[in-house]
Amino acid sequence: MQLKIYVPRTIEIPTEYLPALAKRALDSLGDGGADAQATRGHLVRQAVMDGLLRELDVLRLDETTVDLFCDPQGEAPLEIDNRSLSMNELIDSLSAPKAPTATKRPEAVDRLRGKEERIIPIRRAA
């Protein structure tokens, strides 16, 4: 008797590959992919198809199918701030340029340099 089992396993996909994986996963979904909810499974199956996870090659059924699920009860949508993302929204969020975290307001910089206010040294009493 043959039984198919799914064993929990942790994998790692480098962050820099995620935008390209999401784009190719969207392309593989066809016309209905734009409205599809993004899941971890989309990204992992595409990573297996692209050869990034060679240890999971045994799960490939043919050139376009991977027998792999990330969530035992069904694919759970990816969320940001408790909001499910579509595949297009996922690609947009992964491709968005990072804003600098330590930006200073120009007037604060000028004030620190002494351009806005005239700094007068305090004289010491004798």
Side-chain angles (χ1 to χ4, degrees):
M1 175 168 58
Q2 288 185 346
L3 299 171
K4 187 179 288 189
I5 62 169
Y6 294 93
V7 180
R9 185 173 183 178
T10 301
I11 60 163
E12 185 171 338
I13 299 173
T15 305
E16 59 269 11
Y17 294 147
L18 292 178
L21 282 174
K23 286 179 187 174
R24 284 194 297 281
L26 175 62
D27 293 341
S28 71
L29 291 174
D31 294 335
D35 297 328
Q37 294 294 313
T39 66
R40 291 179 289 175
H42 289 122
L43 299 174
V44 174
R45 284 188 289 275
Q46 190 62 48
V48 172
M49 293 302 297
D50 289 354
L52 292 175
L53 301 170
R54 290 287 181 197
E55 66 272 12
L56 299 178
D57 277 349
V58 296
L59 300 176
R60 291 179 72 161
L61 300 178
D62 57 37
E63 293 299 316
T64 60
T65 310
V66 177
D67 187 18
L68 186 140
F69 291 96
C70 288
D71 302 308
Q73 300 301 321
E75 297 281 327
L78 291 173
E79 295 181 346
I80 294 179
D81 295 330
N82 294 327
R83 192 174 74 74
S84 297
L85 298 175
S86 69
M87 289 298 288
N88 284 328
E89 291 171 331
L90 175 64
I91 292 168
D92 290 343
S93 67
L94 291 172
S95 301
K98 304 280 186 209
T101 56
T103 58
K104 294 183 179 180
R105 297 182 321 191
E107 64 268 8
V109 173
D110 288 341
R111 213 173 324 133
L112 289 173
R113 290 183 184 157
K115 291 182 179 177
E116 186 176 292
E117 299 172 4
R118 185 172 170 204
I119 300 174
I120 301 173
I122 300 174
R123 295 186 181 185
R124 294 186 182 171

